[in-house]
Amino acid sequence: MAQLIKLFDYISRYEVDPYRYPSQFIRLKRQQWDKVSNAWENNRFHTVMKISEVHPEMEVELEKQPFLHKVKKRFAKQELKKQDVKPLINEMATQDEELQFQFTTVPKTMDDLKHLFLDYIFKFQVRWASSTLREKSAVDQKVYRDQLLPYFMKRLPDHYLLMYRPIFKLKNAPVELEMILIGTTEVYCLSFVENLDNTVFTGSKEKFWVARRGEDERKLLNPLISLNRTGTVVQKLLSTQEIDLPVKKLIISRNGYIDYPFVPYDITIYDKRSYEEWFQRLRQSSAPLKHAQLKAAQVLLSHCLTNSYYRTEWSETFDEE
């Protein structure tokens, strides 16, 4: 899962220590997946479920069981309550409530388990990208309804660092940028032009592009405007710190077509004809985190605008994790 290091203007754990948290996330995720998958394979999934909640399908199965067996189940359940069983994902909490996930359903297959686990890790990443131990930002519920954000996070490897529509502070003015994906060898600035399936977007250097689908036609603001702004800001900040990572600007339409005969030389287009091949290359890449990559994240995060408030539920005696 790609790591969400910045979300809009929310405060982020990665701003506190961009060198520590990426590797910590990878380690925790692997450890907790090993524990959860092992529990599921060995029929011990109750150790990662809320004991007070029983899935409806489990209720049906209990009704089918003999009376004596149901009594044994009840006593076993009471014993688990007495033991105050904690979810496996909570074992590494270390004064951090953000790791206290609890499963409330039993997946039927390993694929179901993977999807359930990724759903929890996605929420965990949103928490890390909107809080520190002392501060937090108010998360808009649209974040959880967004389809593009979880699509990229859940499908890309752990070593990709994602900044989702961050707001930079440049010359005392806020500037909203496009999605920024920091890889081990390249930094991608991504702009998406998407509508209904098979929409054709006609690109140009004008202020507006044209989107056509059948007889329907409409205009949309030229995505190159915000994409070029994003690329310029990222390139300038990295160059100032002598970070040698190529910055690539991409326009993407996953479900449509982009017709741009004279596309600028520094812009790459991926539409329905070519997107999947490019995306699969990203997914199949395997590499450890690089120093230049983490330094790039640090530089970019240091110029982001942040709005947050103090977390009164945490004691001031806690040291920053």
Side-chain angles (χ1 to χ4, degrees):
M1 174 178 276
Q3 300 188 56
L4 181 61
I5 66 173
K6 187 64 178 179
L7 180 62
F8 305 130
D9 60 348
Y10 299 165
I11 196 166
S12 168
R13 298 289 170 96
Y14 293 88
E15 290 177 285
V16 175
D17 193 342
Y19 287 93
R20 172 190 174 187
Y21 278 103
S23 57
Q24 180 175 335
F25 167 76
I26 293 174
R27 186 181 70 254
L28 290 178
K29 175 176 171 283
R30 289 175 179 172
Q31 289 176 344
Q32 302 313 320
W33 169 250
D34 288 342
K35 292 178 181 179
V36 169
S37 59
N38 182 67
W40 185 82
E41 291 173 347
N42 292 279
N43 199 27
R44 295 188 297 105
F45 205 71
H46 61 271
T47 59
V48 291
M49 291 184 64
K50 287 183 179 179
I51 302 305
S52 60
E53 297 185 18
V54 180
H55 192 271
E57 293 182 3
M58 294 177 63
E59 295 276 13
V60 174
E61 290 300 319
L62 287 174
E63 289 298 326
K64 295 179 181 179
Q65 296 172 357
F67 174 76
L68 182 59
H69 189 62
K70 287 194 289 185
V71 171
K72 290 181 179 180
K73 283 282 188 179
R74 178 173 297 179
F75 277 107
K77 185 176 178 180
Q78 291 175 350
E79 185 63 27
L80 285 172
K81 288 183 177 180
K82 292 179 181 179
Q83 294 175 6
D84 190 24
V85 177
K86 297 180 180 179
L88 291 177
I89 293 184
N90 192 35
E91 294 180 5
M92 296 295 295
T94 60
Q95 296 184 345
D96 188 346
E97 66 172 0
E98 313 304 343
L99 291 178
Q100 295 182 8
F101 296 125
Q102 294 173 312
F103 294 91
T104 57
T105 61
V106 177
K108 295 181 179 180
T109 66
M110 179 60 74
D111 284 341
D112 291 340
L113 177 62
K114 290 178 180 178
H115 288 300
L116 185 61
F117 185 76
L118 286 177
D119 286 342
Y120 279 118
I121 297 299
F122 171 71
K123 295 176 182 178
F124 161 63
Q125 275 281 280
V126 171
R127 290 190 179 102
W128 263 21
S130 61
S131 69
T132 66
L133 286 184
R134 290 194 178 95
E135 296 177 84
K136 64 181 177 181
S137 300
V139 179
D140 194 314
Q141 288 303 305
K142 69 179 182 181
V143 171
Y144 298 102
R145 296 190 297 268
D146 191 297
Q147 296 183 3
L148 192 61
L149 177 58
Y151 172 86
F152 270 84
M153 285 183 59
K154 292 179 181 181
R155 288 169 174 80
L156 291 178
D158 298 337
H159 61 266
Y160 282 104
L161 309 178
L162 179 66
M163 304 180 74
Y164 195 71
R165 298 171 183 170
I167 299 177
F168 280 57
K169 187 176 182 180
L170 304 172
K171 296 182 180 180
N172 296 320
V175 179
E176 183 176 348
L177 301 184
E178 297 283 2
M179 184 190 301
I180 302 170
L181 186 64
I182 307 173
T184 55
T185 58
E186 296 172 321
V187 177
Y188 299 98
C189 300
L190 309 176
S191 180
F192 294 84
V193 287
E194 296 182 340
N195 202 292
L196 298 176
D197 288 350
N198 300 320
T199 297
V200 178
F201 301 91
T202 302
S204 68
K205 295 182 179 180
E206 303 300 323
K207 185 176 181 180
F208 293 98
W209 282 18
V210 177
R212 295 186 179 88
R213 187 174 187 271
E215 299 297 324
D216 296 329
E217 180 178 309
R218 69 180 184 86
K219 291 184 177 181
L220 70 155
L221 186 65
N222 188 337
L224 288 180
I225 298 174
S226 59
L227 181 61
N228 282 326
R229 179 171 59 242
T230 302
T232 299
V233 169
V234 172
Q235 184 66 68
K236 183 177 181 179
L237 292 177
L238 298 187
S239 298
T240 301
Q241 298 299 318
E242 299 182 349
I243 299 174
D244 188 20
L245 283 179
V247 177
K248 296 191 173 183
K249 296 181 289 185
L250 278 57
I251 295 182
I252 296 174
S253 180
R254 294 173 297 170
N255 63 346
Y257 302 93
I258 300 177
D259 181 17
Y260 197 160
F262 304 104
V263 60
Y265 74 94
D266 59 343
I267 300 294
T268 302
I269 290 178
Y270 290 113
D271 61 10
K272 190 174 181 179
R273 295 165 291 192
S274 55
Y275 165 76
E276 194 60 35
E277 181 181 353
W278 169 79
F279 191 59
Q280 288 305 317
R281 288 202 302 270
L282 293 188
R283 296 189 67 184
Q284 293 168 7
S285 65
S286 177
L289 294 165
K290 303 291 186 181
H291 176 75
Q293 177 188 18
L294 298 177
K295 187 176 181 181
Q298 181 186 42
V299 170
L300 296 179
L301 287 170
S302 67
H303 288 82
C304 287
L305 188 66
T306 294
N307 289 313
S308 63
Y309 57 92
Y310 181 67
R311 298 179 65 159
T312 56
E313 66 268 31
W314 288 98
S315 168
E316 294 183 1
T317 59
F318 282 166
D319 293 327
E320 186 64 72
E321 288 292 322

